[in-house]
Amino acid sequence: MNLGELVATATLDIAPFQTNTKQLKTYLRGVDSSLKAVEKSISGQGNKVKALRSVYNETGQALKGYQALLVKQTENYNTLKSNIGDVASATEKQKNQLLGARTAMMDTAAKISELQGRLQSLATEINIFSRMGSAMTNFGNKLTALGAGAVNLGSTLTGAVTTPLVGIGVAAMTTFGNFEQQMNRVKAISGATGGQFDQLKQRAVELGASSVFSASEVAQAMENMASAGMNVNDIYSASAGVMDLAAVSGRDMGLAAEAVASAMNQFGIAGENATHVADVYAKAAADTNAETVDMAEAMKYAGPVMSSLNSSFEETAAAIGIMSNAGIKGSQAGTTLRTAMQRLAAPTDVASKLMQSLGISAYNSEGQMKPISELLPHLQERLSGLSEEQRNNALNTLFGKESLSGMLALLDSAGPEFDGVVSGLQNSNGAAKEMADTMNSGLSGSIENLKGKLETAAITVSERFAPYIEQLADKVGELTAVSYTHLRAHETDQYL
């Protein structure tokens, strides 16, 4: 079955995938294989842009199919939930059905996110090849022509003065060209137009002048945020926080941008609170053993589940940080947290009986899942009368062997310790900037800051003079063309 037929199947016959996760995953693999086959064919085609557009269209069709599938799955989930009513009193079969429906929705949502990211990447490549390629080639040719003309002019003047000035001018124009190219990538991916793009451009220049990062590096971070699905307003609001987080995370802007954007998407955090997300990451790195890379990796696994089960970003970060203190970090911490919460939300028959005997309830009186900050002290209280062996056996039954060590660390922290970490993260505003300022102080930070200011000056000056320099380059190019034509004609005459 080709991709078009698969999309048609998803659009017209959704029912088989509503409750059957196995069929859904088979469907996903089929679409993946079809897309990979189409993408692989690019290497054998001469017209790169045409091939990329073909993949773009196929991917767009697949995305529509998955979106239609998600609508049906959401309807199915809401119907199941409505029929069940009080989840706390639901049967084991009903809970499993509800969990299966939720898992299917999450799988489809993840695939939609993946396809959207693929579309953005393809759009970037298409724009680069079809628009930016020729423009930047022409710009580079003009710089070359300008440099040659300047050298000729300099030979008739004082070399000690003219040569350095020409070198500085060409270097400044090159810096401006690199920055302009990077911002064009931001524009292509984010879809920024007119005034929006001008604001992003100005923001990059301002941050380049006031931080240890250059304007081009800020633009690169903006591209990373756009690729992660952030809109123009969110990118503008988040840029300063992402720069600060990158400064305290080994200057890894890609990591910082992805970490902030992913958390905002997972927990539905508004764009104006993007800086707070960066502050939480920075504070967690300072107060626990979870560095930004560890926290971001764990969030990939735990974030979507924790958000859907009513735990906040700060609570999730606190749990990951505390597990990291016990040596359970990154993907292991994220998997532990995800598995434990999923098993509490829909326990096995054996686990359900154990929970009833111990008086453990994962849901409140309104049938909503309790956040982890409420679950931990509740579990701690209900398990307090057991011996160490009985407690470990009970936790093994509830959470599984793989999650046991992580949940033990969390239960030991339940109460004041866990609440204290959560409170610190909730009140962490300004943490990333404060830490960045401290780390960037001294001679090294001053030098990096100076580099940023120099690049900003080069960009600002070059942008103002670019139209005039382009005109000069055009004139030099015309003279070169005339000289070349004359030379070729002379060579031809010699052979006649």
Side-chain angles (χ1 to χ4, degrees), residues 260-329:
V260 171
S262 296
M264 290 173 64
N265 290 334
Q266 290 165 352
F267 292 89
I269 299 173
E272 59 265 24
N273 296 320
T275 301
H276 174 68
V277 175
D279 290 330
V280 169
Y281 272 103
K283 182 68 172 175
D287 292 353
T288 72
N289 198 30
E291 297 294 334
T292 301
V293 63
D294 303 318
M295 184 67 73
E297 182 68 15
M299 283 290 180
K300 289 181 182 179
Y301 296 86
V305 173
M306 296 298 287
S307 175
S308 67
L309 297 180
N310 302 321
S311 289
S312 69
F313 172 53
E314 292 85 355
E315 290 172 320
T316 305
I320 293 170
I322 289 172
M323 282 192 286
S324 297
N325 290 342
I328 304 166
K329 306 172 70 174

Side-chain angles (χ1 to χ4, degrees), residues 227-458:
S227 297
M230 293 177 67
N231 61 41
V232 175
N233 292 332
D234 289 350
I235 293 172
Y236 185 93
S237 300
S239 295
V242 167
M243 292 300 100
D244 289 334
L245 181 59
V248 301
S249 305
R251 296 178 62 86
D252 191 335
M253 289 179 300
L255 168 65
E258 182 181 355
V260 171
S262 296
M264 290 173 64
N265 290 334
Q266 290 165 352
F267 292 89
I269 299 173
E272 59 265 24
N273 296 320
T275 301
H276 174 68
V277 175
D279 290 330
V280 169
Y281 272 103
K283 182 68 172 175
D287 292 353
T288 72
N289 198 30
E291 297 294 334
T292 301
V293 63
D294 303 318
M295 184 67 73
E297 182 68 15
M299 283 290 180
K300 289 181 182 179
Y301 296 86
V305 173
M306 296 298 287
S307 175
S308 67
L309 297 180
N310 302 321
S311 289
S312 69
F313 172 53
E314 292 85 355
E315 290 172 320
T316 305
I320 293 170
I322 289 172
M323 282 192 286
S324 297
N325 290 342
I328 304 166
K329 306 172 70 174
S331 60
Q332 184 182 4
T335 303
T336 293
L337 198 55
R338 179 183 65 182
T339 301
M341 295 298 287
Q342 285 179 328
R343 290 179 66 123
L344 273 182
T348 63
D349 289 337
V350 175
S352 182
K353 291 177 181 178
L354 176 63
M355 291 173 67
Q356 290 178 6
S357 66
L358 294 174
I360 297 174
S361 176
Y363 294 86
N364 59 27
S365 59
E366 298 178 354
Q368 296 178 330
M369 185 78 172
K370 297 176 182 176
I372 191 170
S373 59
E374 293 181 21
L375 282 171
L376 291 177
H378 175 61
L379 288 168
Q380 188 182 60
E381 177 189 1
R382 294 301 177 181
L383 297 172
S384 61
L386 304 180
S387 66
E388 182 177 348
E389 181 181 4
Q390 291 174 325
R391 179 193 185 201
N392 290 344
N393 287 335
L395 291 174
N396 188 44
T397 299
L398 292 174
F399 304 119
K401 184 177 180 180
E402 292 77 11
S403 300
L404 180 59
S405 56
M407 291 309 297
L408 281 171
L410 289 178
L411 285 172
D412 288 342
S413 72
E417 180 183 349
F418 186 87
D419 293 343
V421 176
V422 173
S423 178
L425 297 179
Q426 289 172 336
N427 297 288
S428 62
N429 289 352
K433 177 171 176 50
E434 182 179 350
M435 293 172 64
D437 289 344
T438 300
M439 296 182 70
N440 295 329
S441 61
L443 178 61
S444 176
S446 297
I447 292 175
E448 292 298 325
N449 192 271
L450 176 60
K451 289 180 181 178
K453 285 181 168 61
L454 289 174
E455 189 201 59
T456 298

Side-chain angles (χ1 to χ4, degrees), residues 60-118:
Q61 291 178 25
L63 178 60
K64 291 179 181 178
Y66 276 100
Q67 289 171 334
L69 179 60
L70 182 59
V71 170
K72 293 296 183 181
Q73 289 174 331
T74 303
E75 292 174 356
N76 177 59
Y77 174 79
N78 291 333
T79 300
L80 284 174
K81 189 173 181 181
S82 177
N83 292 338
I84 291 173
D86 185 6
V87 179
S89 60
T91 65
E92 182 67 21
K93 182 179 179 180
Q94 289 175 323
K95 290 180 180 178
N96 286 336
Q97 287 179 332
L98 194 62
L99 180 61
R102 182 192 292 273
T103 302
M105 288 168 55
M106 291 173 61
D107 286 345
T108 305
K111 191 63 182 181
I112 288 173
S113 178
E114 177 189 338
L115 289 174
Q116 288 173 334
R118 191 175 301 180

Side-chain angles (χ1 to χ4, degrees), residues 2-307:
N2 60 35
L3 182 59
E5 292 171 340
L6 281 171
V7 173
T9 301
T11 305
L12 301 176
D13 188 16
I14 299 294
F17 304 116
Q18 289 186 4
T19 57
N20 193 319
T21 305
K22 184 177 181 181
Q23 288 186 16
L24 172 60
K25 291 181 178 178
T26 301
Y27 172 78
L28 299 181
R29 287 195 295 271
V31 173
D32 282 341
S33 298
S34 297
L35 280 173
K36 288 177 181 177
V38 176
E39 290 174 342
K40 188 176 180 181
S41 69
I42 291 179
S43 59
Q45 300 185 42
N47 192 330
K48 181 84 173 180
V49 175
K50 183 178 179 181
L52 286 171
R53 283 174 177 163
S54 175
V55 178
Y56 184 91
N57 292 335
E58 294 284 356
T59 305
Q61 291 178 25
L63 178 60
K64 291 179 181 178
Y66 276 100
Q67 289 171 334
L69 179 60
L70 182 59
V71 170
K72 293 296 183 181
Q73 289 174 331
T74 303
E75 292 174 356
N76 177 59
Y77 174 79
N78 291 333
T79 300
L80 284 174
K81 189 173 181 181
S82 177
N83 292 338
I84 291 173
D86 185 6
V87 179
S89 60
T91 65
E92 182 67 21
K93 182 179 179 180
Q94 289 175 323
K95 290 180 180 178
N96 286 336
Q97 287 179 332
L98 194 62
L99 180 61
R102 182 192 292 273
T103 302
M105 288 168 55
M106 291 173 61
D107 286 345
T108 305
K111 191 63 182 181
I112 288 173
S113 178
E114 177 189 338
L115 289 174
Q116 288 173 334
R118 191 175 301 180
L119 278 176
Q120 291 172 345
S121 297
L122 287 168
T124 302
E125 291 190 62
I126 291 170
N127 275 281
I128 290 170
F129 281 103
S130 63
R131 298 177 187 176
M132 291 168 53
S134 59
M136 291 311 298
T137 299
N138 291 336
F139 184 76
N141 291 337
K142 290 173 183 177
L143 283 179
T144 302
L146 174 64
V151 169
N152 291 333
L153 177 64
S155 64
T156 64
L157 300 175
T158 305
V161 175
T162 304
T163 300
L165 289 177
V166 169
I168 291 173
V170 173
M173 288 302 298
T174 302
T175 297
F176 171 68
N178 292 336
F179 172 70
E180 187 176 52
Q181 182 179 21
Q182 184 61 58
M183 285 305 304
N184 282 338
R185 292 176 63 88
V186 175
K187 183 178 183 179
I189 299 174
S190 68
T193 58
Q196 289 181 325
F197 179 66
D198 291 339
Q199 287 181 341
L200 287 181
K201 197 173 183 179
Q202 183 60 32
R203 184 65 164 165
V205 171
E206 290 172 354
L207 290 174
S210 61
S211 71
V212 295
F213 296 102
S214 68
S216 296
E217 288 175 319
V218 177
Q220 181 184 348
M222 287 181 171
E223 179 190 346
N224 292 331
M225 286 185 275
S227 297
M230 293 177 67
N231 61 41
V232 175
N233 292 332
D234 289 350
I235 293 172
Y236 185 93
S237 300
S239 295
V242 167
M243 292 300 100
D244 289 334
L245 181 59
V248 301
S249 305
R251 296 178 62 86
D252 191 335
M253 289 179 300
L255 168 65
E258 182 181 355
V260 171
S262 296
M264 290 173 64
N265 290 334
Q266 290 165 352
F267 292 89
I269 299 173
E272 59 265 24
N273 296 320
T275 301
H276 174 68
V277 175
D279 290 330
V280 169
Y281 272 103
K283 182 68 172 175
D287 292 353
T288 72
N289 198 30
E291 297 294 334
T292 301
V293 63
D294 303 318
M295 184 67 73
E297 182 68 15
M299 283 290 180
K300 289 181 182 179
Y301 296 86
V305 173
M306 296 298 287
S307 175

